[in-house]
């Protein structure tokens, strides 16, 4: 039993405990110093580490805070504030041992009680943290001593060391978690590799090296300037000119533009990142699965990949996991069938089709591209789609989690459980579709509580089949993650998770411009 347990929860984790701290193959010690300029395509409106929602915000809080664990580029987990972890025989209790001597940016010590207070804040419904349903089935968290944290779980859960690396599970001081919780909306008190210097969410965020970071070798950079570029063409031009060093998220059109530009390296990695068309499954006409399935049957998946991703992606099958995920097993690929779509619409009481407004944020631009492509494909079945594009901030305020027909955009999660519990179970943190399918919930609950890999694969396959049949959302394509850097940027790779950046491992070569 012990040997099996070690295989289950230490595979891919214990091995990294002895890995080099950089996580990259090194031929020489990275150079210290310099200023890195990173571009983001939308404002980082939220910097509270337990409340962030989009990639630029995840980037900022990753620089300023630490998790118990981190995700490497190969999606395996490695230590962060926790040096090691172990579980009981039933995987219902996990113990994490913390590093000694870690300090918050205000000089106060980071100890087990801070971790306890952070997770209690995440789990408190009043705080509305997106991480509440993504950090695992935690029922209690305690601190037997200053460097030990114990998590008690409602069910067996093999993924806890991965789930505590979640983007909104960054550790904050207990005095803030239990006191002025909202104060972190404008200031940062973390243990991360960098400290906040200035915060202008729509223009520029500046951080500088934390001299008290727990790893004395990192970070290598003195300073990072994160610049907001709402205009992606201007962003690409700034990269070509050498005014910025990293584009954190690159659109296919700009990837093709930058490819071959002197001094620029384009970056690409396969991923489970996707856009979807969310249906309000509690709202007519989308409360009828026949209507949802009919719309899904209008889509030419290959054409959608070519149009929306410029070939930088793979076809989707209306489920949120693909071959990039562990435990994936494909179900029959849905193909376009206009005759069947018309038949389903007639059965649902729409023999002449129907008309609906599909809302798409303007960030990233692929949302609108997907909406326009769907509009054209659906015409043949008699479905009239009016596409409405709006600024991303307006979308987040007025449509996200409220609308009944809109385009979403999501990063790959560390595990299948992570993406299902984020979006599709009845208690999902972002239950946008309001599908609330009890049979689906039961499959996901059983899968997260078993350590049998074959059984887990079978359960997730059944969950995919149910989604493919019911279509709570259309997922027509998965995107490769694209980025770019100047040639003088070293040890930077785009991450398949898209919301992980690891800039504390980045250094600058002698070719980098000197900036004051």
């Amino acid at each position: 039993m012990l040997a099996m347990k070690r295989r289950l929860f230490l595979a891919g984790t214990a091995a990294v405990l002895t890995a080099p701290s950089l996580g990259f193959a090194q031929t020489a010690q990275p150079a210290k110093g310099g200023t890195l300029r990173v571009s983001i395509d939308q404002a980082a409106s939220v910097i509270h580490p337990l409340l962030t929602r989009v990639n630029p915000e995840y980037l900022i809080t990753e620089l300023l805070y630490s998790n118990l664990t981190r995700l490497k580029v190969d999606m395996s987990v490695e230590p962060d504030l926790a040096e090691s972890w172990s579980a009981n025989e039933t995987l219902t209790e996990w113990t994490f041992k913390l590093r000694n001597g870690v300090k918050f940016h205000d000089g106060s010590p980071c100890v087990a009680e801070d971790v306890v207070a952070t997770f209690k804040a995440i789990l408190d419904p009043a705080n509305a943290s997106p991480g509440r349903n993504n950090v695992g089935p935690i029922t209690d968290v305690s601190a037997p001593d200053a460097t030990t944290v114990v998590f008690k779980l409602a069910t067996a859960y093999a993924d806890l060391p991965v789930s505590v690396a979640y983007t909104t599970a960054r550790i904050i001081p207990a005095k803030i978690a239990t006191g002025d919780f909202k104060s972190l909306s404008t200031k940062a008190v973390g243990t991360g590799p960098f400290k906040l210097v200035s915060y202008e969410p729509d223009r520029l965020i500046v951080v500088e090296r934390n001299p008290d970071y727990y790893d004395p070798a990192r970070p290598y950079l003195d300073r990072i300037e994160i610049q907001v570029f709402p205009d992606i063409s201007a962003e690409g031009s700034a990269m070509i000119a050498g005014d910025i060093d990293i584009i954190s998220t690159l659109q296919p059109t700009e990837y093709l533009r930058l490819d071959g530009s002197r001094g620029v390296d384009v970056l690409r990695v396969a991923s489970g990142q996707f856009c979807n068309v969310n249906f309000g499954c509690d709202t007519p006409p989308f409360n009828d699965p026949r209507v949802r399935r009919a719309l899904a049957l209008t889509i030419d998946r290959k054409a959608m990949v070519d149009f929306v991703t410029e070939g930088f992606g793979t076809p989707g099958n209306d489920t949120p996991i693909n071959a990039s995920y562990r435990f994936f097993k494909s179900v029959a690929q849905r193909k376009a069938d206009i005759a069947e779509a018309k038949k389903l619409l007639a059965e649902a009481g729409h023999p002449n089709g129907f008309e609906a407004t599909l809302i798409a944020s303007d960030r990233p631009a692929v949302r609108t591209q997907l909406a326009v492509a769907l509009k054209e494909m659906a015409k043949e079945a008699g479905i009239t789609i009016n596409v409405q594009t709006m600024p991303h901030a307006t979308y987040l305020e007025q449509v996200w989690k409220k609308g009944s027909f809109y385009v979403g955009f999501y990063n790959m999660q560390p595990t299948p459980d992570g993406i299902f519990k984020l979006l599709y179970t009845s208690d999902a943190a972002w239950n946008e579709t309001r599908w609330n399918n009890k049979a689906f919930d039961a499959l996901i609950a059983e899968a997260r509580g078993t350590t049998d890999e074959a059984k887990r694969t079978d359960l997730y396959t059944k969950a995919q089949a149910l989604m493919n049949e019911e279509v709570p959302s259309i997922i027509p394509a998965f995107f490769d993650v694209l980025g770019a850097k100047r040639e003088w940027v070293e040890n930077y790779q785009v991450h398949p998770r898209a919301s992980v950046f690891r800039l504390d491992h980045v250094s600058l070569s002698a070719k980098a411009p000197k900036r004051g």
Side-chain angles (χ1 to χ4, degrees):
M1 181 67 179
L2 180 59
M4 181 184 76
K5 184 179 73 172
R6 285 179 61 81
R7 286 197 302 272
L8 290 168
F9 71 86
L10 293 181
T13 62
V16 303
L17 295 177
T18 57
S21 62
L22 286 180
F24 296 90
Q26 295 293 310
T27 56
Q29 181 68 18
K32 283 265 192 179
T35 296
L36 181 78
R37 290 179 177 169
V38 180
S39 68
I40 55 178
D41 62 0
Q42 59 184 281
S45 301
V46 176
I47 60 167
H48 195 302
L50 307 191
L51 302 177
T52 49
R53 308 156 299 175
V54 293
N55 287 348
E57 296 167 357
Y58 300 146
L59 187 158
I60 305 303
T61 58
E62 182 184 304
L63 296 173
L64 300 172
Y65 296 87
S66 306
N67 290 61
L68 289 177
T69 62
R70 298 180 74 177
L71 286 181
K72 297 171 69 177
V73 175
D74 65 3
M75 295 295 289
S76 64
V77 67
E78 68 176 355
D80 198 1
L81 289 181
E83 290 186 313
S84 63
W85 47 87
S86 60
N88 64 359
E89 291 290 328
T90 58
L91 299 180
T92 57
E93 183 174 298
W94 286 82
T95 300
F96 287 75
K97 298 298 291 185
L98 305 183
R99 299 178 188 275
N100 273 305
V102 178
K103 294 180 181 180
F104 285 105
H105 295 162
D106 63 2
S108 62
C110 176
V111 295
E113 289 183 0
D114 297 298
V115 176
V116 170
T118 296
F119 277 90
K120 287 186 175 181
I122 292 169
L123 296 170
D124 184 348
N127 291 328
S129 173
R132 182 184 173 210
N133 292 304
N134 296 92
V135 294
I138 300 168
T139 58
D140 187 48
V141 55
S142 60
D145 58 56
T147 59
T148 305
V149 179
V150 177
F151 292 90
K152 292 186 178 180
L153 310 180
T155 62
Y157 187 53
D159 291 338
L160 191 70
V162 183
S163 68
V164 295
Y166 194 65
T167 49
T168 54
R170 314 204 197 280
I171 306 305
I172 64 175
K175 62 186 177 184
I176 294 178
T178 59
D180 189 2
F181 183 75
K182 294 182 179 180
S183 67
L184 295 182
S185 299
T186 55
K187 68 177 183 178
V189 186
T191 60
F194 294 90
K195 301 173 71 171
L196 186 64
V197 174
S198 62
Y199 173 53
E200 299 173 71
D202 297 316
R203 192 182 76 85
L204 177 69
I205 300 95
V206 178
V207 301
E208 64 183 8
R209 177 194 285 128
N210 173 15
D212 296 321
Y213 188 52
Y214 67 74
D215 183 348
R218 291 182 288 122
Y220 303 108
L221 300 164
D222 289 333
R223 178 182 172 99
I224 300 178
E225 299 173 356
I226 300 98
Q227 301 182 12
V228 182
F229 276 86
D231 185 324
I232 60 173
S233 178
E235 183 180 39
S237 296
M239 168 64 69
I240 292 171
D243 294 332
I244 57 175
D245 307 313
I246 289 176
I247 295 179
S248 60
T249 303
L250 194 62
Q251 300 304 315
T253 51
E254 285 300 295
Y255 182 100
L256 294 169
R257 176 190 173 201
L258 294 177
D259 191 13
S261 296
R262 186 175 180 180
V264 176
D265 300 325
V266 289
L267 309 169
R268 177 182 181 184
V269 66
S271 176
Q273 186 184 76
F274 63 88
C275 266
N276 65 352
V277 178
N278 284 304
F279 298 113
C281 296
D282 57 354
T283 306
F286 304 119
N287 59 341
D288 191 324
R290 293 171 296 187
V291 171
R292 305 193 300 262
R293 195 156 58 247
L295 193 51
L297 285 168
T298 69
I299 298 174
D300 181 328
R301 309 279 162 150
K302 183 180 183 306
M304 186 68 84
V305 169
D306 291 342
F307 179 73
V308 175
T309 78
E310 303 285 346
F312 295 101
T314 54
N317 201 25
D318 304 328
T319 77
I321 66 173
N322 65 359
S324 296
Y325 280 96
R326 192 179 175 198
F327 308 119
F328 172 79
K329 184 179 179 182
S330 62
V331 297
Q333 177 66 52
R334 173 168 281 131
K335 298 180 180 179
D337 189 335
I338 299 300
E340 179 65 16
K342 289 181 176 180
K343 178 183 175 184
L344 287 169
L345 288 172
E347 291 175 358
H350 305 280
N352 299 315
F354 65 92
E355 183 174 353
T357 297
L358 177 60
I359 298 175
S361 160
D362 62 353
R363 288 289 182 272
V366 291
R367 297 200 206 216
T368 300
Q369 291 173 257
L370 173 60
V372 170
L374 180 60
K375 172 183 177 179
E376 295 303 315
M377 292 178 183
K379 281 181 181 178
E380 197 174 347
I383 302 171
T384 300
I385 295 177
N386 304 307
V387 176
Q388 179 184 349
T389 300
M390 62 176 56
H392 190 66
T394 305
Y395 159 85
L396 288 174
E397 178 66 27
Q398 298 181 6
V399 178
W400 183 53
K401 298 194 291 185
K402 303 180 182 73
S404 294
F405 193 36
Y406 65 90
V407 181
F409 180 87
Y410 301 99
N411 294 320
M412 180 178 180
Q413 297 298 311
T415 64
D417 184 80
I419 191 67
F420 287 134
K421 294 292 285 187
L422 179 68
L423 299 177
Y424 291 105
T425 58
S426 298
D427 64 349
W430 297 341
N431 182 14
E432 299 171 289
T433 64
R434 301 170 310 269
W435 181 34
N436 298 344
N437 187 291
K438 300 305 179 186
F440 178 82
D441 293 347
L443 288 167
I444 301 308
E446 187 176 357
R448 69 178 358 209
T450 182
T451 57
D452 184 306
E453 297 211 7
K455 185 175 182 181
R456 246 183 146 177
T457 300
D458 180 62
L459 290 165
Y460 285 136
T461 304
K462 288 177 179 176
Q464 288 183 83
L466 184 55
M467 289 192 75
N468 184 267
E469 176 67 19
E470 290 273 324
V471 200
S473 70
I474 294 174
I475 302 176
F478 289 92
F479 303 99
D480 296 343
V481 176
L482 308 177
K485 70 177 185 68
R486 293 295 307 193
E487 62 181 353
W488 52 70
V489 176
E490 299 184 333
N491 299 326
Y492 177 73
Q493 298 171 264
V494 290
H495 197 286
R497 179 85 163 78
S499 59
V500 177
F501 303 92
R502 299 175 66 88
L503 295 183
D504 53 305
H505 292 287
V506 169
S507 62
L508 299 174
S509 75
K511 294 181 180 180
K514 307 302 179 185
R515 295 170 178 144

